[in-house]
Amino acid sequence: MANTSARMLRLLSLLQTHRHWPGLELADRLAVSERTLRRDIDRLRELGYPVHSGRGSAGGYQLRSGAAMPPLLLDDEEAVAIAVGLRTAAGGTVEGVEESSLRALTKVVQVMPPRLRRRVDALRTYTVTAPAGGPHIDATTLTAIAQACRDDERLTFTYAAPSGEPATRLVEPHRLVSLKRRWYLVAWDLDRADWRIFRLDRLTGPAATGARFRPRDLPAEDAAAFVAERLGSRPTRYEVTVLLHTPASTVEPVVAVTGGWVEAVDDDSCRLRLQVDAFDWPVLVLAAVGAEFDVIDPPEFRHYLRDVGRLFLRGGTA
């Protein structure tokens, strides 16, 4: 390394991955002797970083969570990513984090060097974030469930299914998934002896039971794929099909955010299909696309659009 300061930053960057680093491998990464590495580790400890060291053949170093938060080491890309993430959180679907996200964003931007502030300002000025639109989830609820997932600890809560009275459920939580403006919990339902997905806006009073469990294998590639598959197989009231007079490439970015299927008909038109229980969402999707269209199915959607169109025309001429 060119100098001690640069080497220390590199060392801390490696340790902040929180993996266990064998001493020889870490020294090789830094191109220093093991003696120099030990001195650098001691300097980090003096700065407040809790670096654990092991001896023997399995010896090495690992950064542990400490009682106090020492200064964070962020490279340029990480700093910008945090700023963008905090800005998104300030307008997201998790209640109770908006104000704290804005405070944290202000602090992060204030300590950024000018070159990074300019990048964040450019992102803020030239990007538009659509309103989340989905139900808001209490941050405490989200945190409690996430910790139970992390600790492999059984979870109990009250769940209000679309049909039937609210009931107490006992589950082995697997993962939280954010999909199509909603939060879902993927879990093994102990009473039903099967995998289930639970909408967090219908879930109240999550509490860890203290009982640990051995994680089961999810019957899907990952939790997000499992939720998408289950939601896709859920029967819906309507299947809306629309012919859009615009290339598929202009519709695909909207579909990627809102959900649905798009199929190119030719270079200048495509077919959009949405499975919904109500027609308000397809209207918003079509407005986001902003292209002329023809309704193929169902006839009820044509009637709904006529009613909505007359309502907006009256408002526009008032």
Side-chain angles (χ1 to χ4, degrees), residues 109-187:
V109 171
Q110 282 178 345
V111 298
M112 281 182 171
R115 69 180 189 280
L116 296 187
R117 284 202 300 269
R118 286 192 293 270
R119 291 175 60 181
V120 173
D121 288 341
L123 284 168
R124 182 174 63 247
T125 303
Y126 294 103
T127 59
V128 178
T129 302
H136 283 72
I137 306 302
D138 179 68
T140 303
T141 295
L142 204 63
T143 302
I145 296 174
Q147 289 176 340
C149 292
R150 179 198 65 191
D151 298 336
D152 297 330
E153 189 171 355
R154 287 179 176 173
L155 190 72
T156 183
F157 51 82
T158 300
Y159 192 70
S163 59
E165 295 295 322
T168 301
R169 310 293 282 267
L170 178 64
V171 303
E172 295 177 352
H174 179 71
R175 288 292 186 277
L176 284 166
V177 176
S178 177
L179 182 67
K180 296 182 181 179
R181 306 175 300 148
R182 298 188 189 278
W183 282 93
Y184 299 90
L185 168 64
V186 177

Side-chain angles (χ1 to χ4, degrees), residues 66-96:
M69 179 182 290
L72 294 176
L73 173 67
L74 302 173
D75 62 27
D76 288 5
E77 300 301 326
E78 291 169 339
V80 172
I82 285 179
V84 173
L86 288 171
R87 178 174 175 252
T88 302
T93 59
V94 181
E95 287 184 343

Side-chain angles (χ1 to χ4, degrees), residues 26 39 88 245 271:
L26 200 54
R39 286 202 302 265
T88 302
H245 301 289
R271 187 177 292 105

